[in-house]
Amino acid sequence: MVAAGPHRVVVLALDGVLTFELGIPSRIFGSARDESGRPLYEVEICSVDGSPVTTDAGMTLHPASGPAVLGTADTIVIPPTQDVDWLRAGPLPTELSTALAMTRARLVSFCTAAYVLAAAGLLDGRPATTHWSEVADLQQLFPRVQVDPNVLFVDDGDVLTSAGAAAAVDLCLHLVRVDHGSAVANQVARQCVVPPWRDGGQAQFIDRPVPMAAQVSTSATRRWALENLREPLSLQALAAHAHMSLRTFTRKFRDEVGMAPLQWLTLQRIRAAQELLETTDLPIDIVAHHSGFATGNSLRQHLRASLGVSPSTYRRTFSQSRTA
């Protein structure tokens, strides 16, 4: 979803907005530039009625714009507020529900702002997520929402939801990647000194007993696997590198990353292939070899299963050489 000019992102600040999440769209989208250094996004903050709003930091925010700018947005982002009890108590205020119902923009919620989209009926029958501590409550209040407690964010096309604070950064980088490709998203991540993506999901952040210091991690093996993606890495090879039994390695890996080892490995190979398809003209078979797929056909099957497109279609869509 790339606009003819800079993509307009309107951030809808509700009363009690959390300042950290409020600033994420400006920081991430504002850092995205094309090869000529021109901004790819413009970010504007508004309130529901044009009035000032309070923040969790004890400051009062005076947005430059009122609700009229929502109609000009390509993407509307809703950061969370410090209190969602008013959403649990009843329907949305009329002006808020009307503003959301009338827009055709891509809708994005951070953390507990998923309650806003759910209360507006915009998540009915759709997958979504929120902070892990709120997923049970969100599901109970809005049973028609398909709440996923394990992921950092959910991309359901025109509606996207993220988990806690840092997951909002992950989601914004994902949107930059969708809109303009991995090369731009990676540059934004470097500029902001954050990883281009994080492995796993919320499962790794849910409260659990702290492991004993003597217990080993699978992190070194994950680093080793990333450095050797083109090699035919098996589950046995990964477990052997970690000096663990298959059962112990698989359990620890899933606890730390939130997915099975070979599922994670396939995901890393797909990501490596995506970057090569975007930034090089290498033949598909060579891309497959460099990213660890045995053949070009194997890459085609995995990319189609994961993204719904062939490597050649992905390259035409996201190639670094395309015009913005």
Side-chain angles (χ1 to χ4, degrees):
M1 185 181 295
V2 182
H7 186 110
R8 280 187 55 76
V9 178
V10 175
V11 182
L12 178 58
L14 304 176
D15 203 46
V17 66
L18 302 188
T19 51
F20 178 83
E21 286 88 336
L22 175 67
I24 288 174
S26 295
R27 190 68 183 92
I28 298 299
F29 296 123
S31 298
R33 298 286 192 274
D34 64 15
E35 293 181 351
S36 301
R38 293 172 297 190
L40 294 170
Y41 298 88
E42 55 184 10
V43 182
E44 191 167 358
I45 298 175
C46 78
S47 62
V48 173
D49 56 5
S51 301
V53 296
T54 61
T55 73
D56 68 320
M59 302 179 293
T60 299
L61 176 70
H62 295 262
S65 305
V69 298
L70 292 171
T72 70
D74 298 304
T75 295
I76 295 173
V77 177
I78 309 176
T81 72
Q82 60 184 341
D83 185 6
V84 295
D85 286 344
W86 61 277
L87 291 170
R88 296 187 178 102
L92 291 178
T94 301
E95 64 272 17
L96 178 55
S97 59
T98 300
L100 293 177
M102 293 180 64
T103 184
R104 294 185 178 181
R106 181 170 59 184
L107 292 171
V108 177
S109 70
F110 296 161
C111 196
T112 54
Y115 281 87
V116 177
L117 298 183
L122 297 170
L123 297 181
D124 287 354
R126 307 185 75 151
T129 194
T130 187
H131 191 280
W132 61 264
S133 66
E134 297 288 340
V135 293
D137 184 67
L138 181 66
Q139 186 68 85
Q140 182 177 7
L141 281 176
F142 304 101
R144 297 184 64 185
V145 181
Q146 301 168 14
V147 183
D148 189 338
N150 298 313
V151 295
L152 295 176
F153 61 82
V154 171
D155 180 346
D156 195 37
D158 58 339
V159 178
L160 301 93
T161 52
S162 77
V169 176
D170 297 312
L171 178 50
C172 287
L173 286 172
H174 168 73
L175 287 172
V176 174
R177 188 175 300 111
V178 168
D179 291 342
H180 299 288
S182 290
V184 174
N186 291 346
Q187 180 59 38
V188 171
R190 286 192 292 270
Q191 182 71 23
C192 297
V193 197
V194 294
W197 58 70
R198 289 188 294 160
D199 298 323
Q202 291 196 75
Q204 59 190 309
F205 301 108
I206 296 174
D207 285 336
R208 294 190 178 95
V210 177
M212 298 297 291
Q215 291 182 330
V216 294
S217 167
T218 64
S219 60
T221 296
R222 295 200 300 274
R223 288 194 297 271
W224 173 74
L226 289 173
E227 294 168 356
N228 295 275
L229 281 179
R230 68 175 63 187
E231 302 300 326
L233 301 175
S234 63
L235 181 59
Q236 290 82 355
L238 295 172
H241 183 274
H243 304 289
M244 300 179 194
S245 68
L246 286 176
R247 181 176 179 180
T248 298
F249 176 77
T250 300
R251 175 176 56 80
K252 285 184 174 291
F253 195 102
R254 188 181 290 276
D255 286 344
E256 293 176 5
V257 178
M259 64 179 71
L262 294 185
Q263 181 185 5
W264 174 86
L265 185 61
T266 298
L267 178 60
Q268 306 315 308
R269 285 173 166 159
I270 289 172
R271 286 171 171 167
Q274 286 177 270
E275 185 163 357
L276 288 172
L277 289 169
E278 293 176 22
T279 59
T280 75
D281 294 321
L282 292 173
I284 301 302
D285 286 343
I286 301 301
V287 170
H289 171 71
H290 284 314
S291 53
F293 292 103
T295 64
N297 283 336
S298 178
L299 171 60
R300 291 182 184 92
Q301 292 171 3
H302 281 93
L303 205 65
R304 189 171 293 279
S306 176
L307 304 177
V309 297
S310 67
S312 57
T313 299
Y314 183 89
R315 170 172 273 164
R316 284 195 302 272
T317 304
F318 290 102
S319 174
Q320 190 178 25
S321 62
R322 69 176 181 167
T323 57

